[in-house]
């Protein structure tokens, strides 16, 4: 079975505070997260429309961000609500949620503490 590449899919994902169309969620090829691995992520399964161990995964995501010196502009509760919201918008019953936080493309240098912090949450159906 042929799968649709992620950049060609339809629907919505959560990107920097709002639900946006998949095709509109773009980042620059010179973003710091890509070149210097200044990013963190978590992935969770969704069962019957509910995200498995959401709070535990969010705590780990924020711990990882803190260890990387990344200050997330959203609180853990807001991220949890955004995760469930995008699962509901996409009508995912049994799938996967991927959250990623990374430094943006404002500056390309080893230390880019002033770069914008981007946050995205994507979800979709995904069999076992």
């Amino acid at each position: 079975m042929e799968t649709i590449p992620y950049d060609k899919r339809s629907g919505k994902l959560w990107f920097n505070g709002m639900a946006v169309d998949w095709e509109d969620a773009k980042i620059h090829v010179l973003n710091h997260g890509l070149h210097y691995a200044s990013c963190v992520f978590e992935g969770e399964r969704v069962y019957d429309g509910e995200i498995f161990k959401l709070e535990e995964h969010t705590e780990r995501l924020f711990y990882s961000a803190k260890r990387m010196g990344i200050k997330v502009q959203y609180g853990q509760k807001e991220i949890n609500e955004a995760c469930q919201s995008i699962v509901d918008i996409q009508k995912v019953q049994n799938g996967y949620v991927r959250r990623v936080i990374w430094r943006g493309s404002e500056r390309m240098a080893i230390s880019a503490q002033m770069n914008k912090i981007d946050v995205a949450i994507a979800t979709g159906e995904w069999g076992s």
Side-chain angles (χ1 to χ4, degrees), residues 9-74:
R9 294 183 183 198
S10 61
K12 302 276 186 188
L13 57 87
W14 193 90
F15 189 71
N16 289 331
M18 58 196 332
V20 300
D21 291 332
W22 276 70
E23 62 192 30
D24 294 334
K26 305 265 189 241
I27 61 172
H28 196 274
V29 69
L30 293 179
N31 81 72
H32 197 271
L34 177 63
H35 288 267
Y36 293 96
S38 58
C39 60
V40 295
F41 73 93
E42 279 290 324
E44 303 87 38
R45 292 290 306 184
V46 177
Y47 300 108
D48 298 321
E50 296 295 322
I51 303 167
F52 184 70
K53 295 197 175 202
L54 175 61
E55 290 188 22
E56 292 92 331
H57 284 280
T58 302
E59 288 173 12
R60 188 166 58 194
L61 179 70
F62 274 71
Y63 175 79
S64 297
K66 183 178 178 181
R67 296 287 298 167
M68 294 285 293
I70 295 172
K71 294 180 183 165
V72 184
Q73 66 270 36
Y74 306 100

Side-chain angles (χ1 to χ4, degrees), residues 62-126:
F62 274 71
Y63 175 79
S64 297
K66 183 178 178 181
R67 296 287 298 167
M68 294 285 293
I70 295 172
K71 294 180 183 165
V72 184
Q73 66 270 36
Y74 306 100
Q76 291 186 27
K77 183 178 182 210
E78 191 173 4
I79 292 296
N80 285 342
E81 290 170 355
C83 286
Q84 192 60 56
S85 174
I86 205 65
V87 164
D88 294 343
I89 288 168
Q90 287 291 95
K91 297 177 176 63
V92 175
Q93 284 301 300
N94 295 290
Y96 185 72
V97 175
R98 173 56 65 107
R99 303 177 284 164
V100 62
I101 301 170
W102 71 96
R103 292 189 193 284
S105 58
E106 291 76 19
R107 183 167 182 222
M108 285 294 296
I110 292 172
S111 177
Q113 298 300 313
M114 302 307 289
N115 282 29
K116 178 182 174 197
I117 303 301
D118 292 301
V119 181
I121 306 166
T123 188
E125 290 291 327
W126 193 344

